[in-house]
């Protein structure tokens, strides 16, 4: 069962939002079960889970100690086809353990040089962890909080995306847009499908963005397993 971890040494990049979008979209698309492990000390997803509307085929695991992450992941993947791990920002043994058990690590960043520099730290951790295990841990950059109009890409975005490509660092083709609907999940709970379009703007476009994200992540995992 695939374990997908979200890692970012820098706060405010949309890490938790992207993790929740992926998890809820997988659940909405018919996964028999999705488990989110909230290993962020602020426990934002655990707080989301206390609100109404969480799908019946989802559960959230939180309050995990430094030494408990491996057991939590092992337990989750015995009962859930998809395990999503939202990790803390600081480097720790908990982060390293989760990365070592992951089938895919996603590194959310905004299109800025500062975020790109911090992403390099995460990539170094992923590569060194894989080297110690004698295997390659798949990872990819996912751009977040981009302009909602796909045709609008800043010079920073284009330059940083080009630098990653030249360095052979994989990036998802799907970028997560800056959308009110995504923020609304943490206010009202539930999924995008449960939000009221009368009160949340551009809901159809937001749902399409989340569907594209989930489809690409699943495709990447299938490709990786096929290559292995």
């Amino acid at each position: 069962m695939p374990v997908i971890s979200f890692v970012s040494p820098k706060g405010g990049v949309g890490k938790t939002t992207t993790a929740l979008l992926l998890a809820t979209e997988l659940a909405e698309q018919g996964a028999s079960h999705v488990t989110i492990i909230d290993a962020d000390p602020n426990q934002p997803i655990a707080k989301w889970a206390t609100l109404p509307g969480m799908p019946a085929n989802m559960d959230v695991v939180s309050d995990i100690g430094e030494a408990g992450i491996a057991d939590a992941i092992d337990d989750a993947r015995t009962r859930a086809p998809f395990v999503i791990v939202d990790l803390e920002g600081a480097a720790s043994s908990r982060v390293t353990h989760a990365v070592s058990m992951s089938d895919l690590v996603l590194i959310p960043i905004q299109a800025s040089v500062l975020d790109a520099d911090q992403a390099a730290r995460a990539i170094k951790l992923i590569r060194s962890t894989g080297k110690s295990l004698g295997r390659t841990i798949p990872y990819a950059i996912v751009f977040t909080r981009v302009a909602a109009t796909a045709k609008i890409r800043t010079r920073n975005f284009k330059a940083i995306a080009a630098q990653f490509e030249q360095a052979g660092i994989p990036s998802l083709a799907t970028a997560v847009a800056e959308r009110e609907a995504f923020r609304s999940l943490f206010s009202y709970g539930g999924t995008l499908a449960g939000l009221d379009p009368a009160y949340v703007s551009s809901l159809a476009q937001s749902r399409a963005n989340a569907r594209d994200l989930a489809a690409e992540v699943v495709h990447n995992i299938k490709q990786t397993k096929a290559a292995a």
Side-chain angles (χ1 to χ4, degrees), residues 50-224:
T50 66
L51 299 171
M54 183 170 73
N57 58 338
M58 283 185 66
D59 72 305
V60 176
V61 178
S62 58
D63 294 319
I64 303 163
E66 191 75 15
I69 189 71
D71 288 340
I73 292 173
D74 268 337
D75 177 65
R77 62 185 176 186
T78 63
R79 53 191 167 80
F82 291 96
V83 180
I84 311 297
V85 187
D86 183 29
L87 291 164
E88 61 196 281
S92 68
S93 61
R94 180 161 49 188
V95 172
T96 303
H97 283 315
V99 166
S100 72
M101 300 174 73
S102 297
D103 297 282
L104 175 65
V105 180
L106 294 177
I107 308 166
I109 73 164
Q110 295 183 80
S112 75
V113 172
L114 178 59
D115 282 20
D117 288 344
Q118 294 301 309
R121 288 177 54 201
I123 293 168
K124 184 177 180 181
L125 169 67
I126 295 164
R127 288 175 172 172
S128 64
T129 302
K131 186 175 181 180
S132 68
L133 296 171
R135 74 177 182 93
T136 299
I137 300 173
Y139 68 88
I141 298 293
V142 52
F143 285 99
T144 61
R145 295 183 171 173
V146 302
T149 303
K151 294 181 179 179
I152 299 176
R153 292 292 181 260
T154 65
R155 290 180 64 188
N156 271 342
F157 182 100
K158 294 176 181 177
I160 291 169
Q163 288 172 11
F164 283 139
E165 184 176 3
Q166 291 166 8
I169 295 171
S171 300
L172 295 188
T174 304
V176 177
E178 181 71 38
R179 293 282 189 187
E180 180 64 25
F182 300 157
R183 291 188 291 270
S184 295
L185 292 178
F186 294 94
S187 299
Y188 305 113
T191 68
L192 293 174
L195 295 176
D196 188 340
Y199 297 101
V200 181
S201 63
S202 304
L203 191 52
Q205 294 91 329
S206 301
R207 293 185 65 184
N209 192 181
R211 282 195 299 270
D212 289 345
L213 172 69
E216 185 173 2
V217 168
V218 170
H219 178 70
N220 280 12
I221 289 173
K222 287 180 178 179
Q223 278 195 321
T224 300

